[in-house]
Amino acid sequence: MAKEKGLISPEDFAQLQKYIEYSTKRVSDVLKVFDDGEMNRFCQGDAIGYLGFEQFMKMYLEMEEVPHHLCWALFWSFHTSQVAAEKTKSKANVICLSDVYCYFTLLEGGRPEDKLEFTFKLYDMDRNGILDSTEVEKIILQMMRVAEYLDWDVSELRPILQEMMREMDQDGSGSVSLDEWVRAGATTVPLLVLLGMDMTMKDDGNHIWRPKRFTRLVYCNLCEQSISLGKQGLSCNFCKYIVHDHCAMKAQPCEVSTYAKSRKDIGVQSHVWVRGGCHSGRCDRCQKKIRTYHSLTGLHCVWCHLEIHDDCLQAVGPECDCGLLRDHILPPCSIYPSVLVSGQECKHKTTDDTSLCTPEAFRIKPVSNTHPLLVFINLKSGGKQGQSVLWKFQYILNPRQVFDLKDGPEPGLRFFKDVPQFRILVCGGDGTVGWVLETIDKANFATVPPVAVLPLGTGNDLARCLRWGRGYEGENLRKILKDIELSKVVYLDRWFLEVIPQQNGEKSDPVPSQIINNYFSIGVDASIAHRFHLMREKYPEKFNSRMKNKLWYFEFATSESIFSTCKKLEESVTVEICGKLLDLSDLSLEGIAVLNIPSTHGGSNLWGDTKRPHGDTCEINQALGSAAKIITDPDILKTCVPDMSDKRLEVVGIEGAIEMGQIYTRLKSAGHRLAKCSEITFQTTKTLPMQIDGEPWMQAPCTIKITHKNQMPMLMGPPSNSYNFFGFWS
């Protein structure tokens, strides 16, 4: 697609967002280096040239080289020569550093109003405070490009956008002022969506729209005209209200209340009926067929999901029990503003998003004998799956139970702090689970809530061991919630890792974590993971699916098997278990793994299958000697069964990348079982690759100590009919 000078293409914008996701830098940190630090030489007052902007991008994205076409396109998107020349008193090709700062700050997070104001100023090229017809046309052109990138049907979109922009000109002046833009833009759904702005919940009564391409013939709830098969429309996440793009501004307010607004609403939940949406086609009350007229006949309750005829409404009664998923749902009657407790009857209204997640704003009193579910979703995990899962859970549960992890787990945990018997569902990869567990640990709950996992990552080793599967592939979320209801609590050992570097001047990468939930390793597998990590940081667009990730792993493993960068590892590493030196002299190893769970690298069982004797695992391990501080006897190790709750670690030696591949494909049963113990110390004499739970780094010579930290309650999924190689019923 040809680029217009001053505009960045949707493809470039998508690539930029990927780079930002993998960077740990904040734009404010980088700006300090340019204001007061070594990069100040690139600044000309508030302006920088292309070379300075390129250095800014390298530091901000933490990349050695930023693709030239992306950097150049982005530079010109900021370029306004007249303003820059006025500020620098020169005609050099420079841009305003403050504009760059504003742009990336908004990408990191910002209110829609702030983003609208910034967008206005970006397109107001002559800086006269209004958008004229030429500038409005540029906005329409950009939105058309974004719509194409989002795979919208754009054949009829331009006239809709043109009409939308005309409606913004409320005084009929032929131009759009900043006030008109912000006031109208905040309620103009297609504009917000196409400008890439988050549609977030502020207060009840607002639809939370998302663009949707319909695979079946549906009808607009407002005008009752069809939205043709394959065409684009908007659907509300909360109530499933469906409209054309141009009907969204005229839609009735959302009928879903997420909390009680008066004392009389507290404690008793009523049905909330919404017209249409009866996909089963049969009344749940009388079992007769619901005659469909434009998919707008019948009623469905957004809480219990009953579907009924209009004539059956009186027979159903007003009270709602929240249906089959009542054990997980926090109905609106259970959430109420703290102000209602004082006896002052007033309408609760707030525009501060953060206050809606604090104990000070709301009180929660769940329905008795239920286990409300707090859902965390990492939108960066699993490609586009995270966003889809978020939308589905916002409809199945109370939207106030569902939290996007872009702001971290703290808001959700504060909101649920005083809720008795609640459970947590983490939707993401193993790294996301570890992040949430660490935050729970710091929250100091009187009773720690148990955690289930919906695997959206690549490896998902912990989810495999907890029977939640290898990876989410679009299964019915209601079925998964019923499995959580039937799950049992098990305890996961967590281990503290201390790195003590040798004072020899060699530099190491930052240690990614001090907590081990799954495994720790030194050598060949960490080398493969490190190469994968570096490549993904440099080219994140090449790592947007599980299959691509696995293919990259295979490529790096193949090259590692050829070059053997960690050959004779035993010559540069000594291992002490509970103070006793482990003899590695008879082995030729390229890797050593310390296992807390029996799954690594997305399904490899390095410990191997153990024929399970009859009886309880803990009792069996104790009888076999697992209660001892250390086990190194090969005959006893053959009969030891891994247990994530026994406060013991399994130590395994790996001969090389080929052996890892054989174990993964089950051509070989296991690596070399070296020990089972409760404390480990490594001493290294050269720089080696290491990893914790799949997060790799390069470590200079050091001493590493691993000791038991604590245990966290996890939810083990119900057994199915097949027995897997992890020693669990899958």
Side-chain angles (χ1 to χ4, degrees), residues 503-524:
Q503 302 301 322
N504 58 2
E506 293 189 43
K507 290 186 177 181
S508 302
D509 296 335
V511 180
S513 175
Q514 290 186 301
I515 305 299
I516 303 172
N517 295 310
N518 298 357
Y519 58 89
F520 165 79
S521 66
I522 300 175
V524 57

Side-chain angles (χ1 to χ4, degrees), residues 255-257 268-274 284 299-308 312-323 331-332:
E255 297 182 42
V256 178
S257 293
V268 178
Q269 181 59 39
S270 299
H271 288 291
V272 177
W273 299 108
V274 176
D284 289 316
L299 300 164
H300 78 275
C301 175
V302 298
W303 296 112
C304 66
H305 304 293
L306 280 178
E307 299 177 2
I308 63 169
C312 291
L313 181 60
Q314 295 300 321
V316 171
E319 190 170 332
C320 177
D321 66 356
C322 293

